[in-house]
Amino acid sequence: MGARRSRRWGVIALVVTALLLGPAVGAVGATQESCQANGNQQVCLTDASLDATTLASGASTQLSVTVENVGDERATAIVVLNVASPDNETDSYELRRQSLGPGETLSLTQSVDASTPGPHAMQVIVYGDGLGHRYDASAAMTVTVERQGLGGSFDTPEYALAALVGAVAVMGGIVYKRR
């Protein structure tokens, strides 16, 4: 019951965060008005998408990101992935740091592994100036990780069940030999 309530509150927190932050950061593929210039430098996020939004525990999906230098000067794009776990723990991962000339585009893919069951919120942010200026950000994306049960990949309950059956078999063999 406690885990279910905890998960429910985690989902509620993710939805509220997405609703509060969504309008502030703009949407995926947003127009240039949402992409903040830094002088004559301007790098915009033109795409951020996931191949799958529901995964089995232990599986992975591909995150695809495209950024474009729409400014008049060479600019460094720092692409960062922010992740919030079902337990509301957050992490940031720098995916790429690359200098782009005017009109140049950077496309990258990153494998995203799924291990902890529950909803994971993700957002891609493009920074410049050594993380001192935020150019653009994607809308919040969610990946839901589902625990595999019997008939799928082995997970903790199946290992525990196999250990219990093995222990009972060993004990039965010991008792049988003593008779």
Side-chain angles (χ1 to χ4, degrees), residues 11-81:
V11 169
I12 290 169
L14 288 174
V15 169
V16 169
T17 301
L19 290 173
L20 291 174
L21 291 179
V25 298
V28 175
T31 62
Q32 291 181 11
E33 289 81 34
S34 69
C35 180
Q36 302 299 312
N38 186 15
N40 290 331
Q41 297 177 340
Q42 189 172 15
V43 180
C44 297
L45 181 65
T46 59
D47 181 50
S49 59
L50 293 162
D51 284 348
T53 57
T54 303
L55 301 172
S57 182
S60 64
T61 186
Q62 292 292 318
L63 170 69
S64 299
V65 177
T66 306
V67 297
E68 181 180 4
N69 182 349
V70 298
D72 297 329
E73 293 182 5
R74 178 166 289 281
T76 298
I78 304 168
V79 181
V80 175
L81 174 63

Side-chain angles (χ1 to χ4, degrees), residues 54-60 113-117 143-148 153:
T54 303
L55 301 172
S57 182
S60 64
D113 299 327
S115 58
T116 306
V143 172
T144 303
V145 179
E146 297 176 343
R147 179 178 290 272
Q148 286 284 343
S153 300

Side-chain angles (χ1 to χ4, degrees), residues 97-118:
R97 181 182 299 240
Q98 186 168 328
S99 178
L100 299 172
E104 282 188 314
T105 300
L106 166 65
S107 296
L108 63 99
T109 58
Q110 176 70 40
S111 180
V112 177
D113 299 327
S115 58
T116 306

